[in-house]
């Protein structure tokens, strides 16, 4: 479980940048990654972070702006993602 | 050479502006918001930082409500063509630039809007009796207000007029071409619906940058449609900000410069910048008042807050002749004529010949102001 990664996808590049700034300031272990083509052809970048930090990340995003509601995916392996069910998103 | 044409475009720029542009060109280069590689992320960060810094500078909470355009003219066009409808009545000051007047004249013809132009006091404020009379007898949908005159340097007292307009539920659009970066601003606190700015004047950024702030709830139609990097699977324009209005690859190199410029202004502080520039223009006011045959057009000397923009004429000499002598004999660069603002010149009584405009900037010195006063005294003496 410790190595579990979650992928956060946003509507716009502006939101990605906003989220990156917010989460970095919280000291969360985030990484900016190319959006896997399997999921979307959108603005190109998503954010990954350890699943264990997801609750903290979501709290930080929601506190900053109601519009910062990413779509969430669990990384299953190379190029394989699965949408997180609501009850898993804390 | 003494550059006194900062109201047209500021020069020089802070060294970090050019450095940021060079860094982008040499080390980043990629398109923002369009790819997943690291240079694309770096480019996206630059554009984001430009928005964040301007939001901080203008007193705006959510930086996604700042939309970039290539200058204030494009921003004003987007807002006016995107919001005004047939039958709308629009209130403007008597000091508007053609960036406002030409779109409005076009909309009079194409959509049947009506434009009422306020008479102004010599201090550059709307005649209070006329304003009150019009507000009570007519129904306005919009007010488009030049915050700072590019002809006289007068500042519109937004804190006084905006609450009055908002009480009538008038949507207030402000042309901040001359004021953005020149003084402390609180766009949301004042209650503006739209604030338009240009990057290359007092914001000290490069040409080809500008934009506007849009208050929550307002949604003009875009001027252009196309790729935004977001919702790429859809053939309809995404409606979230800023993407709704920013189709096509942006001026990333310019925005890199603009972000650096905004950081410079924040560091120096807009209040300190304003004080310094006020100091320079006060010296011009004082020096020019003592020159026989020379007339200053605009707010009377030492009469309250103003911008470092000053218009004058000399009896028996055309503005273009004065401009030529200033450059050829004294190495002083000014702008003469109508300054793209025939309406403002009609209001102050200098249409159609115009004036000589002296516009010092942050990097001018007091010694240069002395040189300018002496040069104009010289030219006026020879003409008289
Ligand atoms: C008051 C005012 N509005 C609009 C403009 C147009 O600015 P830009 O050419 O950057 O669009 C200017 C400057 O020329 C100006 O002084």
């Amino acid at each position: 479980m410790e190595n579990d990664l979650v992928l956060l996808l946003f509507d716009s590049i502006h939101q990605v940048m906003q989220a990156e700034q917010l989460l970095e300031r919280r000291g969360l272990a985030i990484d900016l990654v190319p959006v896997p083509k399997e999921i979307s052809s959108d603005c190109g970048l998503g954010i990954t972070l350890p699943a264990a930090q997801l609750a903290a990340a979501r709290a930080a995003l929601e506190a900053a702006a109601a519009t910062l509601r990413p779509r969430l995916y669990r990384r299953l392996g190379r190029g394989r993602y699965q949408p997180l069910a609501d009850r898993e998103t804390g | 050479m003494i550059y006194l044409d900062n109201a047209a475009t500021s020069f020089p720029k802070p060294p970090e502006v050019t450095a940021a542009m060079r860094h982008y060109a040499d080390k980043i280069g990629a398109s923002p918001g369009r790819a997943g590689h690291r240079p694309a992320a770096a480019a996206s960060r630059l554009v984001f930082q430009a928005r964040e810094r301007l939001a901080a500078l203008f007193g705006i909470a959510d930086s996604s409500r700042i939309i970039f355009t290539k200058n204030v003219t494009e921003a004003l066009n987007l807002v006016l063509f995107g919001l005004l409808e047939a039958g709308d009545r629009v209130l403007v000051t008597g000091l508007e630039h053609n960036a406002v007047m030409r779109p409005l004249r076009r909309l009079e013809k194409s959509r049947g809007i009506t434009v009422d132009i306020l008479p102004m006091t010599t201090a550059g404020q709307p005649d209070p009796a006329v304003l009150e009379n019009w507000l009570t007898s007519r129904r306005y949908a919009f007010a488009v207000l030049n915050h700072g005159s590019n002809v006289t340097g007068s500042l519109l007292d937004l804190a006084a007029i905006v609450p009055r307009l908002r009480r009538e539920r008038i949507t207030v659009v402000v042309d901040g071409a001359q004021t953005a970066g020149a003084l402390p601003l609180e766009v949301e606190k004042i209650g503006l619906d739209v604030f338009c700015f240009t990057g290359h004047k007092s914001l000290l950024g490069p040409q080809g940058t500008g934009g506007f702030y849009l208050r929550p709830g307002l949604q003009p139609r875009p001027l252009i449609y196309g790729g935004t990097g977001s919702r790429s699977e859809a053939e309809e324009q995404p409606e979230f900000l800023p993407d709704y209005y920013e189709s096509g690859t942006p001026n990333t190199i310019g925005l890199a410069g603009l972000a650096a410029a905004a950081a410079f202004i924040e560091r120096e502080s807009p209040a300190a910048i304003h004080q310094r520039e006020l100091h320079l223009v006060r010296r011009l006011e004082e020096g020019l008042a003592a020159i026989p045959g020379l007339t200053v057009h605009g707010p009377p000397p030492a009469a309250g807050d103003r911008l470092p923009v000053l218009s004058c004429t000399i009896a028996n000499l055309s503005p273009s002749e004065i401009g030529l002598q200033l450059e050829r004999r004294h190495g002083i660069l000014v702008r003469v004529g109508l300054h793209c603002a025939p309406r403002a010149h009609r209001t102050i009584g200098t249409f159609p010949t115009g004036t000589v405009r002296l516009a010092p900037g942050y990097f001018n010195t007091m010694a240069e102001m002395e040189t300018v006063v002496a040069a104009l005294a010289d030219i006026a003496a020879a003409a008289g």
Side-chain angles (χ1 to χ4, degrees):
Chain A
M1 279 301 276
E2 277 102 277
N3 296 331
D4 272 5
L5 277 187
V6 181
L7 172 69
L8 286 65
L9 293 187
F10 295 85
D11 276 341
S12 67
I13 190 67
H14 180 83
Q15 289 194 344
V16 176
M17 293 295 124
Q18 199 182 356
E20 178 188 42
Q21 186 178 72
L22 274 167
L23 301 179
E24 239 165 27
R25 282 181 185 163
R26 293 292 170 108
L28 302 181
I30 61 160
D31 204 5
L32 224 53
V33 299
V35 174
K37 286 285 168 258
E38 295 75 9
I39 298 182
S40 158
S41 58
D42 268 7
C43 61
L45 291 165
I47 292 176
T48 58
L49 88 169
Q53 295 185 351
L54 179 60
R58 283 173 47 109
L61 296 178
E62 265 165 40
T67 46
L68 276 178
R69 288 180 175 276
R71 280 161 288 143
L72 304 173
Y73 297 82
R74 184 203 310 284
R75 199 178 109 105
L76 301 174
R78 210 168 251 291
R80 292 198 302 125
Y81 292 84
Q82 184 185 62
L84 274 188
D86 271 354
R87 63 187 156 72
E88 293 180 283
T89 63
Chain B
M1 183 194 90
I2 299 176
Y3 183 80
L4 284 195
D5 201 11
N6 289 278
T9 201
S10 57
F11 179 81
K13 310 295 183 188
E16 46 267 67
V17 172
T18 342
M21 295 172 78
R22 194 172 299 123
H23 176 77
Y24 170 78
D26 291 344
K27 301 287 193 314
I28 302 176
S31 189
R34 305 289 198 275
H37 46 70
R38 286 186 191 283
S44 301
R45 258 181 227 118
L46 282 179
V47 174
F48 178 70
Q49 283 310 327
R51 256 187 259 282
E52 288 277 291
R53 294 214 167 109
L54 290 179
L57 205 55
F58 298 157
I60 292 161
D62 175 2
S63 72
S64 76
R65 308 210 66 86
I66 290 181
I67 290 114
F68 288 126
T69 59
K70 73 172 186 285
N71 49 41
V72 74
T73 302
E74 185 180 324
L76 286 160
N77 270 267
L78 191 158
V79 167
L80 298 176
F81 280 90
L83 285 174
L84 271 53
E85 304 287 0
D88 282 346
R89 193 179 268 277
V90 182
L91 187 65
V92 301
T93 76
L95 292 170
E96 298 306 317
H97 189 274
N98 266 349
V100 166
M101 294 313 297
R102 286 183 173 172
L104 289 179
R105 291 303 184 207
R106 173 73 202 172
L107 285 161
E108 272 181 336
K109 286 213 181 77
S110 65
R111 287 191 200 157
I113 66 158
T114 310
V115 180
D116 288 345
I117 302 169
L118 283 161
M120 310 296 279
T121 67
T122 47
Q125 307 308 315
D127 180 313
V130 175
L131 176 65
E132 209 40 50
N133 181 335
W134 288 3
L135 287 180
T136 46
S137 60
R138 302 167 184 182
R139 174 85 199 98
Y140 291 99
F142 294 90
V144 188
L145 310 171
N146 186 358
H147 186 194
S149 171
N150 61 309
V151 174
T152 66
S154 66
L155 276 169
L156 189 68
D157 188 356
L158 290 179
I161 189 175
V162 174
R164 178 71 191 90
L165 298 175
R166 287 184 63 89
R167 238 184 299 141
E168 303 294 330
R169 297 177 188 281
I170 298 169
T171 299
V172 181
V173 176
V174 166
D175 174 357
Q178 293 294 336
T179 52
L183 32 94
L185 275 168
E186 291 285 354
V187 165
E188 287 185 326
K189 204 194 254 170
I190 300 171
L192 304 187
D193 295 290
V194 178
F195 178 74
C196 300
F197 61 91
T198 208
H200 65 101
K201 298 183 194 271
S202 285
L203 279 172
L204 304 176
Q207 294 176 7
T209 60
F212 63 100
Y213 155 80
L214 198 58
R215 139 325 245 162
L218 259 190
Q219 199 188 42
R221 287 177 295 278
L223 213 50
I224 56 167
Y225 298 80
T228 57
S230 48
R231 296 272 159 87
S232 296
E233 69 288 350
E235 290 188 358
E236 273 78 40
Q237 189 82 0
E239 292 199 1
F240 44 77
L241 294 180
D243 300 28
Y244 192 37
Y245 301 104
E246 289 187 359
S247 294
T249 304
N251 176 12
T252 313
I253 190 167
L255 294 175
L258 185 59
F264 174 87
I265 291 170
E266 215 166 303
R267 203 183 63 223
E268 304 288 302
S269 114
I273 289 173
H274 180 48
Q275 276 317 307
R276 186 187 158 80
E277 293 182 341
L278 194 58
H279 205 49
L280 296 174
V281 76
R282 289 283 189 237
R283 178 57 200 126
L284 290 179
E285 279 182 345
E286 199 180 272
L288 268 49
I291 298 176
L294 184 148
T295 309
V296 172
H297 305 270
D305 210 4
R306 65 170 300 156
L307 289 175
V309 178
L310 184 148
S311 260
C312 64
T313 50
I314 293 175
N316 308 321
L317 265 188
S318 72
S320 53
E321 179 58 30
I322 301 166
L324 195 66
Q325 289 195 34
L326 280 173
E327 177 173 9
R328 295 290 159 82
R329 303 209 348 239
H330 303 275
I332 297 165
L333 308 181
V334 299
R335 183 165 167 199
V336 302
L338 294 176
H339 315 100
C340 298
R343 171 50 53 188
H345 281 281
R346 282 182 196 278
T347 295
I348 67 170
T350 48
F351 186 86
T353 37
T355 57
V356 175
R357 182 179 72 181
L358 312 174
Y362 191 57
F363 298 107
N364 284 115
T365 64
M366 206 48 125
E368 289 176 330
M369 298 307 105
E370 301 301 345
T371 306
V372 171
V373 170
L376 282 166
D378 218 39
I379 293 169

